[in-house]
């Protein structure tokens, strides 16, 4: 935002009538393309100097735009657009540190593997993961989920039983609903015991799309 | 309470402002690009310790002022006059600024007018804050900024000419 309306006891009121055109004039002194180049340099230097708590990028996919975020340890968050990317980034800043920068390079590996997955050419992910956002019983559920193989499904009840806590069906459901790494950690492969789809943090349409993709491949 | 906002917000929101300021101070080109990069790297380092109620734009403009001085000192041996528009290629890898005439007009301003315009009109600092950075009284800074913007309008978009 240009601060053309700065209130200042010494400001020059006779300039007021020109403020809009001045704003136009002065805005032409930096263009978006020039800033894109500078942003890329900033990403590289910030990464070199180890200054980033979280690097992120977005990718397009058959289930809509996805936000990918990584710490120095690994992929820490995959988010659906319906989760609101700005809100997700604010949560990441609060929990992992505010040095959060759009820096796609750290996410190259994740982006490539997701592309391969959506092309039907990858059935499991092989990425360093940062599990910081998964705690307690939910963390146990998230750690278990990759054992449900590509193209197969389990019920919430079965997952609870596998974890030695067969009555924790609802807890498994809420763990799936708060999975910080959807798709990569396959909570979409968990269905209701009666065969119903169950909920999904990316929306039931996304869940159907992912299951359809895995069955078709 | 310290800053919890993602740093990217600051880059997206204030990156253009800082670029205009350092270009007005140093001329569009590699020196301004360097000052922009150093400003945001320094800001990224300091970000977690910044009080949450900081006026981020004014803070960044002050950092940019210091970095512009550093860049000027670093290039003093090469004797690049800061009030001329350099024609060296930009490190952004893109063609020189899209508005060469406008930059020539900014570069042609007397230094006090150009700096006052940079920090007040482009950077959004108050005249009192600008005076703290570049010296002189707030009133003198106010006059210089007003003269500068008037000269820029006259040179670049004469009365009656389409803008």
């Amino acid at each position: 935002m240009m601060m053309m309306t700065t209130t200042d006891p010494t400001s020059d009121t006779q300039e007021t009538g020109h403020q809009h055109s001045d704003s136009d004039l002065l805005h032409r002194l930096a263009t978006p393309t020039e800033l894109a180049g500078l942003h890329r340099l900033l990403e590289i230097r910030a990464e070199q100097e180890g200054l980033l708590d979280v690097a992120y990028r977005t990718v397009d996919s058959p289930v809509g735009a996805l936000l990918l975020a990584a710490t120095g340890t690994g992929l820490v968050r995959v988010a659906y657009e319906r989760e609101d990317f700005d809100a997700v980034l604010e949560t990441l800043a609060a929990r992992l540190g505010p040095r959060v920068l759009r820096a796609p390079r750290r996410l190259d590996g994740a982006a490539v593997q997701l592309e391969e997955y959506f092309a039907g050419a990858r059935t499991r992910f092989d990425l360093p993961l940062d599990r910081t956002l998964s705690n307690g019983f939910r963390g146990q559920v998230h750690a278990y989920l990759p054992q449900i193989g590509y193209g197969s499904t389990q019920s919430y009840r079965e997952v609870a039983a596998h974890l030695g806590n067969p009555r924790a069906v609802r807890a498994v459901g809420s763990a799936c609903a708060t999975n910080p790494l959807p798709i990569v950690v396959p909570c979409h492969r968990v269905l209701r015991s009666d065969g119903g789809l169950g909920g999904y943090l990316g929306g039931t349409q996304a869940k159907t799309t992912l299951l359809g993709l895995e069955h078709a491949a | 309470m310290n800053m919890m906002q993602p740093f990217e917000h600051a880059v997206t929101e204030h990156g253009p402002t800082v670029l205009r300021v350092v270009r007005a101070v140093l001329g569009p080109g590699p020196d301004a690009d360097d000052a922009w990069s150093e400003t945001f790297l320094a800001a990224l380092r300091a970000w977690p310790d910044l009080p949450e109620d900081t006026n981020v734009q004014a803070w960044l403009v002050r950092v940019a002022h210091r970095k512009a001085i550093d860049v000027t000192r670093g290039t003093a041996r090469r004797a690049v006059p800061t009030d001329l528009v350099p024609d060296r290629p930009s490190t952004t890898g893109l063609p020189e600024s899209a508005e060469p005439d406008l930059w020539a007009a900014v570069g042609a301003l007397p230094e006090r007018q150009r700096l006052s315009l940079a920090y007040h009109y482009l950077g959004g600092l108050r005249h009192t804050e600008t005076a703290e950075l570049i010296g002189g009284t707030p009133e003198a800074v106010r006059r210089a900024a007003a003269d500068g913007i008037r000269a820029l309008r006259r040179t670049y978009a004469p009365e009656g000419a389409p803008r």
Side-chain angles (χ1 to χ4, degrees), chain A residues 1-4 6-12 14-15 18 21-22 25-31 33-35 37-42 45-46 49 51-53 56 86 89-90 93-95 98-102, chain B residues 3-9 11 13 15-17 19-20 23 33 36-38 40-41 44-48 57 91-92 94 97-99 102-103 106 121-122 124 126-128 142 146 149-150 152-153 156 163:
Chain A
M1 274 301 288
M2 296 291 294
M3 300 292 285
M4 301 299 291
T6 305
T7 51
D8 185 329
T10 58
S11 71
D12 195 343
Q14 76 196 46
E15 298 295 317
H18 290 293
S21 58
D22 288 344
L25 189 64
L26 298 174
H27 265 98
R28 288 153 64 178
L29 296 173
T31 64
T33 50
E34 294 165 329
L35 283 154
L38 288 169
H39 197 290
R40 276 194 293 278
L41 287 177
L42 178 64
R45 291 193 57 189
E49 298 190 23
L51 288 174
L52 296 185
D53 296 321
Y56 75 90
D86 283 341
L89 290 171
E90 280 173 25
R95 292 198 56 182
R99 288 178 177 134
V100 176
L101 193 69
R102 182 165 47 77
Chain B
M3 192 59 75
M4 302 289 272
Q5 286 298 306
F7 184 71
E8 178 68 31
H9 285 185
V11 186
E13 195 171 339
T17 295
L19 186 57
R20 290 181 202 112
R23 284 177 161 187
D33 289 354
W36 190 96
S37 293
E38 294 300 331
F40 278 98
L41 269 178
L44 179 59
R45 274 189 209 99
W47 191 246
Q57 176 173 306
T91 52
T92 52
L94 293 157
S97 171
E99 299 279 355
L102 182 51
W103 279 113
V106 172
Y121 279 106
L122 300 177
R126 292 156 185 260
H127 294 307
T128 48
R142 183 197 67 78
I149 194 80
R150 205 175 291 124
L152 202 60
R153 272 200 306 265
Y156 188 70
R163 290 190 195 274

Side-chain angles (χ1 to χ4, degrees), chain A residues 8 10, chain B residues 58-59 61-62 65-66 69 112 115-116 119-120 125-142:
Chain A
D8 185 329
T10 58
Chain B
W59 175 69
V61 169
R62 283 194 202 90
H65 167 73
R66 289 198 296 276
I69 290 172
R112 297 279 307 170
L115 295 179
S116 302
Y119 293 117
H120 173 66
L125 295 187
R126 292 156 185 260
H127 294 307
T128 48
E129 295 168 324
T130 303
E132 281 166 23
L133 290 190
I134 68 170
T137 65
E139 174 57 23
V141 165
R142 183 197 67 78

